[in-house]
Amino acid sequence: MITSRTLNLREIVVMAFISAVFGVLYLLWVFLNQVITGVLGPVGGGILAGSWIMAPIVCALIIQKPGVALIAELIAAGTEVMVGSVNAGSVLILGFTQGLGAEIIFAVFRYRSYKLPVLMLAGMAGTFASFLTMYAMYGYSQYSSVVIWAMLGVMLLSGIILGGWGSHYLTHSLVRTGVLHNFALGKAEYQKRTEDSA
Amino acid sequence: MLDAFQKKNCFLQKVNPALKLGSVLVIIAVMIPIFDPWTPLLLFGVTLAMIVGLGGVSIRFLSLLLLPFLLFGFSFIWIQVVFPDERGETILFTIASMPVALENVFTGVSLGMRALVFASWSLLFVLTTEPTRFMLSLVQQCKLPPRFGYGMMAAYRFLPAFQQELQQIRTAHRIRGLGEKRKLKQFKRYFIPLMAGAIRKAERTAIAMESKGFDGKRSRTFYQRIQWNRSDAVFAGMFVALLVVLFYVRMEWFI
């Protein structure tokens, strides 16, 4: 079967639905995040940073086409705004930069490799991009460098673990349910399984 | 509660969503180089007045939404006092041999207020904009391809269904005797069936849309047209005036 490189309606709607589920989870996370940040300061807020990057990585892993990571993160941000996020402005800006960060990594691998290390790298790039954005937006330049470096470290680690490994783990559990047989990842999995049994 | 305010017939509700969203982004950009506490404080006050006065939102509901942000904003202050980039000269008092400088408290208040300004201006958008109008305005004014706009609207419409499904999954697990302990494993147990259901629904929705003749072309007709009107001009004028006044006040008194 020939698959085109552009997105069709089915893939767009699936991306929107996945992002919507994540968008709702994010709403809960935002609340949790604010409590953690309030108590532990911005460094603590970095712990959950990797979870923001999960929607684009899951979508990119499932659909495996150019532009998916960026578009999925924008859709997630848009859905969050529709649901009524209290942080609409920063969510949209962060959505754009995070998606772009992850997208660049997938582009570097020419949209061919979606193995765990690549996903981890994408998660790291996404949280790094969001760190840079928040650095400018929330005036992190006014803090001592110890705090900044600690925060960057925590965020990158969170991006690798939650964003990279977490998305990989969840998506591959999802493949086994069989709902993804119409998509690049599901097809590859299906082929592998039929070859194994043959 | 949210859509009661979004459907009110007040001034802010009539402004084009694309314009309001643009103003949110401009506000964020404008705030970036500001590190004194008074400018964001002033802007925060004006924003609250606008939401209540021009958007018809009740003060109680608004403060309820902003309450968690106060905690969030407070974190900026204490981090700034404990770990500043440069410690200020004017020492107010010391806590356990750690000097607390006035300059650092001011910077901390400024950064905390900045977070509050972002939140309040975002609320100005969210509380006065119907999601459908927002998407239609993105499609009609910002040239977002209809595929994406309507895809997102479809997903938005399914959110109550997700909630119902989550309840169903919870009940199903309970029937099978799966308890509530072990939080992390529990997450996967809910996440996977919810996602699988969402993907199935999405595919069906996409097929239904295509079978009804939705082809994502720009030449489609709309049931609801979002047009530019007088409120947009007034809002834009007010916004520019606000920025000019803010800039002027800052130049005169705060620097």
Side-chain angles (χ1 to χ4, degrees):
Chain A
M1 193 176 148
I2 305 150
T3 47
S4 73
R5 298 285 267 175
T6 52
L7 294 162
N8 57 32
L9 181 68
R10 188 166 49 86
E11 284 160 342
I12 290 172
V13 176
V14 166
M15 258 156 62
F17 274 60
I18 292 175
S19 305
V21 173
F22 272 110
V24 175
L25 290 177
Y26 287 168
L27 277 183
L28 301 176
W29 262 319
V30 162
F31 192 73
L32 196 71
N33 198 22
Q34 273 169 5
V35 175
I36 294 179
T37 312
V39 178
L40 294 176
V43 180
I47 296 173
L48 286 175
S51 61
W52 313 117
I53 196 82
M54 278 174 94
I57 293 183
V58 166
C59 287
L61 179 58
I62 290 176
I63 297 172
Q64 307 195 344
K65 282 184 182 176
V68 171
L70 178 58
I71 292 170
E73 185 69 333
L74 281 176
I75 290 179
T79 317
E80 237 176 302
V81 173
M82 279 171 100
V83 179
S85 164
V86 279
N87 238 338
S90 13
V91 161
L92 279 176
I93 294 177
L94 279 169
F96 178 71
T97 53
Q98 281 173 350
L100 200 64
E103 187 67 42
I104 286 169
I105 297 297
F106 290 124
V108 164
F109 287 91
R110 309 187 65 195
Y111 304 105
R112 294 231 176 94
S113 173
Y114 289 88
K115 294 202 172 66
L116 183 58
V118 179
L119 299 183
M120 283 177 163
L121 216 57
M124 208 170 81
T127 44
F128 183 66
S130 93
F131 171 80
L132 287 184
T133 319
M134 282 166 70
Y135 186 91
M137 247 170 32
Y138 290 109
Y140 287 168
S141 57
Q142 301 297 305
Y143 300 118
S144 75
S145 49
V146 184
V147 178
I148 296 300
W149 285 111
M151 186 152 56
L152 181 60
V154 171
M155 277 177 79
L156 290 185
L157 213 63
S158 161
I160 293 171
I161 295 172
L162 276 174
W165 181 82
S167 330
H168 183 267
Y169 173 70
L170 287 175
T171 313
H172 280 274
S173 318
L174 203 56
V175 167
R176 274 183 270 138
T177 64
V179 289
L180 298 176
H181 278 357
N182 278 331
F183 300 92
L185 182 73
K187 267 179 215 154
E189 181 83 10
Y190 185 68
Q191 246 170 16
K192 213 168 71 190
R193 217 183 291 166
T194 42
E195 272 166 26
D196 282 350
S197 60
Chain B
M1 199 64 186
L2 204 62
D3 57 316
F5 292 122
Q6 288 168 348
K7 286 202 178 83
K8 258 192 177 174
N9 196 20
C10 288
F11 170 71
L12 279 178
Q13 277 82 340
K14 285 183 202 139
V15 178
N16 194 309
L19 186 66
K20 268 186 280 184
L21 192 66
S23 77
V24 178
L25 300 182
V26 170
I27 283 286
I28 291 179
V30 165
M31 290 305 292
I32 285 175
I34 291 174
F35 291 106
D36 71 86
W38 307 112
T39 316
L41 212 60
L42 181 68
L43 188 54
F44 182 62
V46 172
T47 316
L48 289 192
M50 274 174 83
I51 299 174
V52 173
L54 300 173
V57 179
S58 80
I59 298 176
R60 252 191 72 208
F61 185 64
L62 189 61
S63 43
L64 210 67
L65 280 176
L66 282 171
L67 212 60
F69 269 93
L70 279 178
L71 188 66
F72 181 64
F74 182 72
S75 77
F76 285 93
I77 302 176
W78 80 252
I79 285 279
Q80 180 62 33
V81 168
V82 181
F83 302 106
D85 188 30
E86 286 169 48
R87 205 167 283 281
E89 308 257 290
T90 333
I91 307 296
L92 291 178
F93 50 87
T94 51
I95 307 170
S97 80
M98 191 198 68
V100 175
L102 186 67
E103 284 86 349
N104 297 137
V105 174
F106 271 3
T107 315
V109 170
S110 171
L111 296 180
M113 284 313 293
R114 183 195 287 194
L116 274 173
V117 166
F118 291 172
S120 61
W121 204 276
S122 300
L123 280 178
L124 183 140
F125 174 81
V126 168
L127 290 178
T128 63
T129 312
E130 269 181 74
T132 317
R133 273 175 64 88
F134 167 51
M135 270 306 141
L136 285 176
S137 148
L138 280 189
V139 171
Q140 291 171 15
Q141 264 92 42
C142 303
K143 302 292 166 231
L144 179 81
R147 282 166 195 274
F148 292 103
Y150 282 87
M152 273 194 257
M153 273 198 269
Y156 173 71
R157 288 279 163 246
F158 271 96
L159 287 178
F162 293 154
Q163 238 164 20
Q164 217 172 1
E165 199 153 324
L166 191 67
Q167 195 59 47
Q168 230 168 34
I169 295 167
R170 190 173 294 150
T171 321
H173 281 330
R174 205 166 288 160
I175 288 173
R176 294 188 174 92
L178 291 172
E180 256 100 66
K181 54 187 180 199
R182 280 263 195 100
K183 272 273 152 27
L184 206 68
K185 271 239 169 91
Q186 213 68 10
F187 174 72
K188 193 189 156 196
R189 200 164 273 160
Y190 288 112
F191 181 84
I192 299 295
L194 193 64
M195 245 345 169
I199 290 171
R200 276 199 198 104
K201 281 199 190 77
E203 288 196 277
R204 280 178 215 146
T205 310
I207 291 167
M209 283 163 86
E210 271 172 344
S211 70
K212 298 252 173 189
F214 178 82
D215 54 3
K217 282 209 187 90
R218 197 151 269 297
S219 57
R220 58 175 292 113
T221 55
F222 294 98
Y223 173 61
Q224 195 184 2
R225 275 236 161 241
I226 312 283
Q227 247 125 15
W228 298 105
N229 55 28
R230 238 186 39 230
S231 321
D232 299 326
V234 175
F235 182 78
M238 267 170 51
F239 187 65
V240 173
L242 174 67
L243 290 185
V244 170
V245 167
L246 205 67
F247 186 73
Y248 184 75
V249 166
R250 187 172 141 78
M251 278 301 158
E252 282 294 294
W253 288 309
F254 303 149
I255 296 183

